[in-house]
Amino acid sequence: MATPTKVIIDTDPGVDDILAMLLALAASPEDLAVLLISVTFGNIDVQNCLRNAVSMFHVIEKELRWRREHGLREGFESLRKVKPLVAVGADGPLEDQMMMADYFHGTDGLGGIHSSHKHMTPPETWKHLFSRPPPSTDITNSAIDEAHADLSSPTPLFTASQRPSHLEILRILEENPSDTISIIAIGPLTNLALAASHSPKILMRAKSILVMGGAVYAPGNMTPLAEFNTYADTTAAARLYALTSPNPPSTMPSKPPPPIYTRDSDKTAPQPLPPYPNKEELGDRRLNVVLFPLDITTSHTLRRDEFQAKTKPLLERGSPLAEWTNAFMSTTFHKMETLHHGHDGGSTSLSLHDPLCVWYALTSSKSKEEEQWLIAKGEDIRVETAGQWTRGACIVDRRDRKRREDGDDGEGGEVSSDNGGWLSSGKGNRLSRCVGTPGDRALAPYLLDTIFGL
């Protein structure tokens, strides 16, 4: 039997995040094992993100029951073989002002589904499962276990963690051999930056970190230059990418100015994370980050007509999953029509930004698809953290200049015209970037067949 790719999914569950997680959980257990779903703020606040993740498991449980009752193949083999942990992480960015994408995903992250389809949202008795009770409380471990067994709680398919996400990420990496766990990061990178600050050497045990984020040569979707996940926490992205560098301090964000307080009660601003250890303490290993920016993700779309063609027969038969996804996808397609040119009727489409990372994790190591994935390696991509108009932009050196050995101008002196060390072989980031896939139109049917194929 093939050894599955073990993954951690770090996510801010909005529409395409949910599609990405459904794709991962519905995969073959020989292809993928989801060990942890790490929740962060992003598209909406972290508690709504958590509610969406828990609701997803609640709906899957209903779907599995419906399929059994109708004599259908249950699916979701990966989920049924490996019960993932769910942990709650950052509720805001490290240093930036909090920005959300509720204008697109809705105030609850899924187009108002918790109001329009209340019967698909689980009772909120699950909330205390993510909080460790203090010693003096009457809520004991047995009470928590009883809540897990409550049929009104959607917990049979996952285990709730009382530890913060970044500590669970580090624990899993430490308990497994190096290069056996990949992290699929499809939200702001705050949880991973916190993990890196806590123990960069443990985080670097990851086989790879697959990041949906950034816009390198393509336009942004939050500003003309910035993509949302990167824009939502620029410092986190800059710090994480610095661990790909042969000299991490060379690309670390500049130290922010001290916060300005107007009264004593304001003195609660988060403190900047400390610098990483020096190169000698870090050792020779560096973080393997593979970036999936808007340049590659935007063209991989799911059309309204193909989504409806797949789900309409299931809706007519009473599929809970088809009903749930149809509810938030309908509002999403409508939003696309109102916001963008060229979207009308059945041709209205949604870019599958986040599912693309899961698709890569599922197929890139298979001999048939491996050659179809094109990855550019060793790119010095940096994140702007301070610009008034360029914050969140991915910066690359577009000059036609020769790279040099660190500190060498060709005559033994410093390179005076290289502010930032862009031409130095010993400075700058070293990211990989996805530049080719098995096809723009190949992902949508693959996703629909994996999630809904009965």
Side-chain angles (χ1 to χ4, degrees), residues 234-254 276 379-385 395 403 420-422 424 426-431:
T234 60
T235 300
R239 287 183 62 97
L240 188 74
Y241 296 169
L243 283 179
T244 70
S245 172
N247 184 16
S250 68
T251 61
M252 284 283 279
S254 57
Y276 293 132
E379 295 193 337
D380 186 2
I381 301 172
R382 310 185 194 183
V383 175
E384 175 57 64
T385 61
I395 308 299
R403 297 185 70 88
W422 289 92
S424 169
K427 296 179 180 178
N429 294 330
R430 301 290 186 271
L431 276 73

Side-chain angles (χ1 to χ4, degrees), residues 28 39 67 136 145 158 166 185 222 230 264 341 352 357 360 386 416 431:
S28 165
V39 179
R67 291 183 183 184
S136 59
D145 292 339
F158 73 89
H166 72 280
M222 193 67 179
T230 306
D264 289 342
H341 296 293
L352 297 172
C357 295
Y360 177 83
S416 60
L431 276 73

Side-chain angles (χ1 to χ4, degrees), residues 335-383:
K335 180 66 70 173
M336 291 299 297
E337 286 181 315
T338 61
L339 289 178
H340 299 280
H341 296 293
H343 287 268
D344 183 56
S347 65
T348 301
S349 62
L350 171 72
S351 291
L352 297 172
H353 303 294
D354 296 340
L356 185 61
C357 295
V358 176
W359 189 32
Y360 177 83
L362 281 167
T363 64
S364 61
S365 61
K366 294 183 178 180
S367 58
K368 183 178 179 181
E369 289 92 347
E370 188 173 7
E371 296 181 358
Q372 297 176 309
W373 289 96
L374 301 178
I375 305 295
K377 297 185 177 181
E379 295 193 337
D380 186 2
I381 301 172
R382 310 185 194 183
V383 175

Side-chain angles (χ1 to χ4, degrees), residues 297-362:
T297 62
T298 302
S299 60
H300 294 74
T301 58
L302 172 62
R303 289 167 53 107
R304 174 190 269 153
D305 52 10
E306 63 186 332
F307 177 79
Q308 291 178 339
K310 174 63 74 172
T311 58
K312 184 179 178 181
L314 298 172
L315 277 170
E316 293 172 348
R317 298 177 66 180
S319 162
L321 183 60
E323 179 186 357
W324 190 62
T325 55
N326 185 71
F328 64 73
M329 288 299 292
S330 295
T331 58
T332 301
F333 287 131
H334 176 69
K335 180 66 70 173
M336 291 299 297
E337 286 181 315
T338 61
L339 289 178
H340 299 280
H341 296 293
H343 287 268
D344 183 56
S347 65
T348 301
S349 62
L350 171 72
S351 291
L352 297 172
H353 303 294
D354 296 340
L356 185 61
C357 295
V358 176
W359 189 32
Y360 177 83
L362 281 167

Side-chain angles (χ1 to χ4, degrees), residues 8 163 166-181 183 192 194-209 240 243 276-277 281-282 285-288:
I8 293 168
R163 303 179 74 197
H166 72 280
L167 295 182
E168 289 290 10
I169 290 170
L170 293 174
R171 179 188 63 79
I172 291 173
L173 290 172
E174 191 170 28
E175 291 178 357
N176 286 271
S178 294
D179 296 317
T180 60
I181 307 293
I183 300 174
L192 298 184
L194 291 170
S197 177
H198 192 87
S199 180
K201 295 186 75 171
I202 293 178
L203 186 67
M204 288 191 291
R205 292 168 62 91
K207 179 180 179 180
S208 60
I209 298 185
L240 188 74
L243 283 179
Y276 293 132
E281 292 181 71
L282 284 177
R285 187 180 177 97
R286 289 295 179 265
L287 202 62
N288 178 26

Side-chain angles (χ1 to χ4, degrees), residues 19 22 53-54 133 160 195 217 255 275 281 292 309 317 331 337 348 359 362-363 387 401-402 451:
L19 293 178
L22 288 173
V54 172
Y217 298 102
K255 187 176 181 180
E281 292 181 71
F292 296 80
R317 298 177 66 180
T331 58
E337 286 181 315
T348 301
W359 189 32
L362 281 167
T363 64
R401 298 279 298 276
K402 291 183 178 180
I451 296 174

Side-chain angles (χ1 to χ4, degrees), residues 396-404 422-423:
V396 294
D397 189 351
R398 306 185 190 204
R399 300 172 296 178
D400 187 19
R401 298 279 298 276
K402 291 183 178 180
R403 297 185 70 88
R404 301 180 185 274
W422 289 92
L423 303 177

